């Protein structure tokens, strides 16, 4: 059985550059109980074995609390020595530690609050236990080719005792924080939806669109709106394509975060995979990919596919390409960035 523990979306991430004036660092904690309410989705954590001997447990708790400025107690400690990220095993690393901290001072406004903590700075070692969260997170980053990523949940397998980091890639390394997250408290989408990918495909699409929708109905003013509508159709076609070969837990990540390096996320045989969706109103099998997405396809060649939908407004056809297919295709470079590094 798999126990899934969804954590706060801004609580554990790496390789995102903080472009805010202050604050906005990863909180590395998620509330379990506060203000009289309970995070029901997280309660199954109490069914996970702690996997630490009593002496190491007490010493670790002492280390955690010795710098605490508020009265608190550690109610649970969890040590995971079997780890994976998106179904890929992490080897030759220390254990990852998680603990539950409760505020116990009646004078504290947060009295009784419990939080699940997983600080990157958590480190403890003795003859029986070796915890180093920073080393583990660096290993996670390396498996994800050091792209910017967030951890959306911890997944514990009760049969194998493996803790899986459910990681979502949100951009290239050092993508600005403000390009990924909305600075807003409370419920609702936390991803920035302002940015999207504006592809220079007007010339190749405009005739087919006008033939389908009417020459007076497609203009430069509504071209982007029509393309956005076509994207929705293409995503549904791509999802149907993924279902055909057994994909599960298909997630429309484009809907949440239009600037993502991929559009759909799915599971297959316990591993996480990504799909980039391209579409055209023509019957031609062509598409454009920004260089950062080309690089993403190369870096994640084992788990990325490109789904092309042609004739998106007529009788759509689906085509799947992998990195080897892309490398063998005819290519044209549309733009190159230049930078003058000379000192004057």
């Amino acid at each position: 059985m798999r126990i899934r523990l969804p954590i706060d979306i801004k609580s554990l991430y790496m390789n995102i550059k903080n472009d805010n004036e202050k604050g906005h660092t990863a909180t590395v904690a998620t509330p379990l109980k506060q203000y009289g309410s309970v995070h029901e989705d997280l309660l199954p954590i109490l069914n996970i074995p702690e996997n630490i001997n009593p002496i190491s447990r007490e010493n670790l708790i002492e280390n955690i609390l010795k710098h605490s400025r508020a009265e608190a107690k550690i109610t649970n400690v969890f040590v995971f020595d079997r780890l994976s990220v998106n179904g890929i095993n992490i080897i030759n690393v220390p254990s990852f530690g998680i603990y539950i901290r409760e505020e116990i001072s009646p004078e504290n406004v947060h009295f009784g609050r419990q939080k699940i903590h997983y600080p990157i700075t958590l480190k403890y070692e003795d003859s029986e236990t070796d915890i180093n969260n920073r080393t583990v997170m660096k290993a996670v980053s390396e498996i994800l080719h050091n792209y910017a990523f967030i951890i959306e949940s911890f997944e514990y397998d009760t049969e194998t005792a493996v803790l899986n980091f459910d990681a979502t890639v949100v951009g290239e390394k050092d993508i600005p924080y403000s390009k990924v997250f909305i600075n807003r408290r409370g419920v609702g989408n936390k991803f920035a939806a302002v940015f999207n990918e504006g592809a220079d495909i007007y010339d190749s699409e405009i005739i087919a669109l006008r033939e389908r929708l009417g020459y007076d109905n497609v203009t430069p003013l509504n071209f982007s709106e029509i393309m956005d509508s076509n994207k929705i159709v293409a995503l549904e076609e791509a999802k149907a394509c993924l279902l055909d070969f057994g994909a599960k837990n298909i997630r429309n990540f484009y809907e949440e975060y239009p600037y993502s390096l991929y559009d759909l996320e799915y599971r297959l045989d316990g591993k996480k995979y990504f799909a980039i969706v391209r579409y055209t109103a023509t019957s031609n099998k062509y598409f454009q990919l920004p260089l950062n997405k080309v690089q993403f396809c190369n870096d994640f060649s084992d788990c990325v596919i490109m789904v092309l939908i042609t004739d998106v407004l007529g009788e759509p056809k689906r085509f799947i390409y992998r990195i080897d297919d892309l490398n063998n295709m005819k290519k044209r470079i549309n733009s190159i960035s230049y930078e003058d590094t000379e000192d004057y």
Side-chain angles (χ1 to χ4, degrees), residues 107-124:
E107 298 175 357
N108 189 329
V109 66
H110 299 302
F111 174 64
R113 181 177 69 181
Q114 290 186 344
K115 275 190 171 185
I116 300 172
H117 290 258
Y118 29 91
I120 294 178
T121 55
L122 185 62
K123 183 178 180 180
Y124 174 81

Side-chain angles (χ1 to χ4, degrees), residues 2-16:
R2 178 184 293 171
I3 295 175
R4 186 174 186 274
L5 305 171
I7 61 176
D8 283 354
I9 207 70
K10 298 180 183 179
S11 69
L12 188 57
Y13 57 81
M14 283 189 74
N15 304 329
I16 295 175

